[in-house]
Amino acid sequence: MILTVTLNAALDITYRLPRLRPHGTNRVTEVSERPGGKGLNVARVLASLGHRTVATGFAGGGTGEALRALLADTGVTDALVPVGGASRRTVAVVDEAGGDTTQLNEPGPTVSPAEWDAFLGTYRELLDGARAVALCGSLPPGVPVDVYARLTRAARTAGVPVLLDTSGEPLRRGLAARPDVAKPNADELAALTGSTEPLRAARDARRRGAHAVAASLGPDGMLAVTADGVWQAAPPQRIAGNPTGAGDSAVAGLLSGLVEDLPWPERLSRAVALSAATVRAPAAGEFDVATYEELLTRVVVTDHPSAA
């Protein structure tokens, strides 16, 4: 099975409206709710791809109960650890006319030392039998900032490959623990390294400890810097829609390719096709199957002549 970790799980709420009018009254035409947070989005996509997936992290309060009830219908095994505080909500407001999405993210519940210890016990148990683990997203209050470094080291001790998808100080510390793959986006890479040139920044991030860096470049696709080479993959055309969760689908593509032992160009093709297909889907954690199947054979993968 594949294990995903979402320490700051959320109930994702998506509002769709014909046109967003700031400072005015907006009438919503469609509302959807999904279990969310980056790792849960990854888990749902992996389950849709046919991989047995277990999701852990924290969930609490009425919001946590709602997201767990929704998770039960996705094919993902729920191993979330209860907390006393209420799980957060994230709200995406989709402007149908402009094609833009406004995101509102709550901070999440404060995690107590006892709740953190309970999670660590669950995590170590789940590593036994995991083929890979994804460590994803922001940290709720009360969780130590070096948490992803700790979880990466525990997975590596258990012989389980790690994909790390976070930002800021948790990313910097997590890289030092040598994850198998790090997947920042271009902005996160720039904040980490000080460079806005993706190839230079990805190389810098890899030197900080990751075995491979796969950088999301938004509509321009993905860049991978690995020990075996450097590749860039891009969709054949720009895809219009809601980009929320597109990066999480890319993580699912990379992770499924890792456990299937696909070559890096094939991993990137899958990741980019899934990411673009999610832009066409109603909400994060989903993808338009027809778009995915169409794009999978049309993603352009370029082999950089320079070594990693």
Side-chain angles (χ1 to χ4, degrees):
M1 62 89 170
I2 299 176
L3 176 62
T4 71
V5 174
T6 313
L7 297 176
N8 213 2
L11 180 65
D12 278 355
I13 303 168
T14 302
Y15 292 145
R16 292 182 175 273
L17 60 164
R19 183 183 298 277
L20 178 63
R21 302 181 184 279
H23 315 298
T25 299
N26 290 271
R27 299 193 180 277
V28 177
T29 56
E30 181 183 340
V31 181
S32 62
E33 293 185 346
R34 303 287 190 278
K38 294 180 73 64
L40 291 185
N41 293 338
V42 172
R44 290 167 56 211
V45 174
L46 285 169
S48 296
L49 293 172
H51 287 276
R52 189 166 73 89
T53 310
V54 176
T56 190
F58 297 108
T63 310
E65 291 178 4
L67 76 87
R68 295 184 84 161
L70 292 167
L71 187 63
D73 296 328
T74 66
V76 175
T77 299
D78 178 355
L80 295 167
V81 175
V83 291
S87 295
R88 66 190 179 124
R89 294 162 296 182
T90 62
V91 179
V93 181
V94 180
D95 181 340
E96 299 280 10
D100 294 326
T101 300
T102 300
Q103 193 80 19
L104 305 173
N105 295 338
E106 295 179 357
T110 298
V111 176
S112 72
E115 291 164 345
W116 173 242
D117 288 342
F119 166 78
L120 284 179
T122 297
Y123 176 72
R124 293 189 178 108
E125 289 178 6
L126 291 170
L127 286 176
D128 184 16
R131 299 178 64 195
V133 58
L135 307 175
C136 302
S138 62
L139 305 182
V143 171
V145 72
D146 66 343
V147 57
Y148 286 135
R150 299 187 195 185
L151 299 183
T152 296
R153 286 191 290 267
R156 290 181 59 79
T157 298
V160 179
V162 178
L163 187 151
L164 176 63
D165 181 16
T166 188
S167 61
E169 188 65 11
L171 172 61
R172 188 184 71 80
R173 297 199 186 198
L175 287 175
R178 300 187 60 77
D180 294 82
V181 183
K183 196 223 68 71
N185 62 34
D187 290 340
E188 291 162 351
L189 263 184
L192 174 74
T193 67
S195 175
T196 58
E197 201 288 306
L199 180 56
R200 180 180 296 111
R203 282 178 165 156
D204 186 342
R206 185 168 177 266
R207 283 193 292 268
R208 292 167 187 253
H211 291 271
V213 174
S216 291
L217 305 179
D220 294 324
M222 178 167 282
L223 172 71
V225 177
T226 80
D228 299 320
V230 180
W231 295 271
Q232 184 163 346
Q237 73 269 345
R238 299 220 167 190
I239 306 296
N242 177 11
T244 306
D248 304 330
S249 292
V251 169
L254 293 172
L255 205 58
S256 63
L258 186 156
V259 300
E260 295 171 30
D261 201 25
L262 297 180
W264 266 103
E266 292 184 37
R267 298 186 202 183
L268 291 175
S269 292
R270 180 180 293 182
V272 169
L274 279 171
S275 180
T278 294
V279 174
R280 287 270 177 88
E286 303 172 8
F287 61 94
D288 183 84
V289 175
T291 300
Y292 169 61
E293 293 176 347
E294 174 197 353
L295 291 179
L296 188 57
T297 59
R298 297 178 59 210
V299 171
V300 178
V301 182
T302 303
D303 185 350
H304 282 256
S306 54

